[in-house]
């Protein structure tokens, strides 16, 4: 699925979260050794970011794992088509971070269930527009 870039052919210009227009599309580098650098402009002062300790990271990971990466048996399943690069990223997350038996399908199901819970009030309001 390609974004509509009718106003400007450069996708970084129309993106809300564009970091660097010269960054390749696959710069996410899931679990890679390279780190991406963010540009800090001289005119905009960034607020000081609080350091996150090791215990907090472990707590956040435990919460993420309990929410999204627990094995689940899907009873009434439906096929969904997604792009290959997204599938590879999801598979890598499920395989490396998930417990034994965690599948891409159970991970996707948990992510979508959380998304629907988070946005259900907004979706109901938008439905009535």
């Amino acid at each position: 699925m390609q974004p509509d870039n009718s106003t400007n052919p450069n996708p970084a210009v129309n993106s809300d979260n564009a970091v660097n227009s010269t960054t390749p599309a696959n710069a996410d580098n899931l679990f890679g050794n390279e780190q991406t650098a963010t540009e800090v402009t001289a005119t905009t002062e960034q607020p000081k970011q609080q350091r996150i300790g090791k215990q907090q990271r472990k707590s956040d990971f435990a919460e993420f794992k309990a929410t999204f990466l627990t094995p689940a048996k899907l009873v009434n399943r439906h096929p969904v088509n997604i792009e290959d690069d997204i599938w590879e990223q999801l598979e890598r997350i499920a395989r490396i971070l998930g417990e034994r038996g965690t599948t891409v399908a159970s991970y996707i199901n948990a992510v979508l269930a959380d998304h629907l819970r988070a946005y259900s009030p907004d979706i109901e309001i938008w439905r009535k527009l």
Side-chain angles (χ1 to χ4, degrees):
M1 187 162 128
Q2 296 293 326
D4 183 333
N5 294 324
S6 58
T7 58
N8 192 326
N10 186 352
V13 173
N14 293 331
S15 176
D16 292 335
N17 58 2
V19 174
N20 187 349
S21 62
T22 61
T23 305
N26 60 357
D28 292 343
N29 196 8
L30 274 175
F31 306 112
N33 295 333
E34 297 177 19
Q35 294 180 351
T36 58
T38 58
E39 267 184 26
V40 178
T41 60
T43 58
T44 309
E45 188 174 316
Q46 298 291 329
K48 268 201 161 176
Q49 187 175 4
Q50 295 292 329
R51 292 186 66 180
I52 299 173
K54 190 174 185 179
Q55 290 291 11
Q56 182 63 41
R57 288 189 192 277
K58 284 184 178 181
S59 174
D60 291 346
F61 174 65
E63 183 181 335
F64 177 82
K65 191 172 181 178
T67 304
F68 299 112
L69 294 172
T70 54
K73 182 164 175 83
L74 304 177
V75 180
N76 295 324
R77 300 180 294 172
H78 297 278
V80 176
N81 298 318
I82 59 173
E83 293 181 8
D84 191 48
D85 60 330
I86 294 173
W87 175 269
E88 289 171 2
Q89 291 176 20
L90 294 171
E91 183 179 39
R92 190 169 180 119
I93 291 169
R95 185 171 23 101
I96 293 174
L97 297 179
E99 298 175 7
R100 179 175 221 109
T102 301
T103 62
V104 174
S106 64
Y107 177 50
I108 290 172
N109 195 61
V111 168
L112 290 176
D114 185 64
H115 172 79
L116 291 173
R117 263 192 307 277
Y119 284 96
S120 65
D122 292 331
I123 291 170
E124 189 59 28
I125 291 170
W126 296 330
R127 185 184 67 82
K128 293 178 180 177
L129 288 179

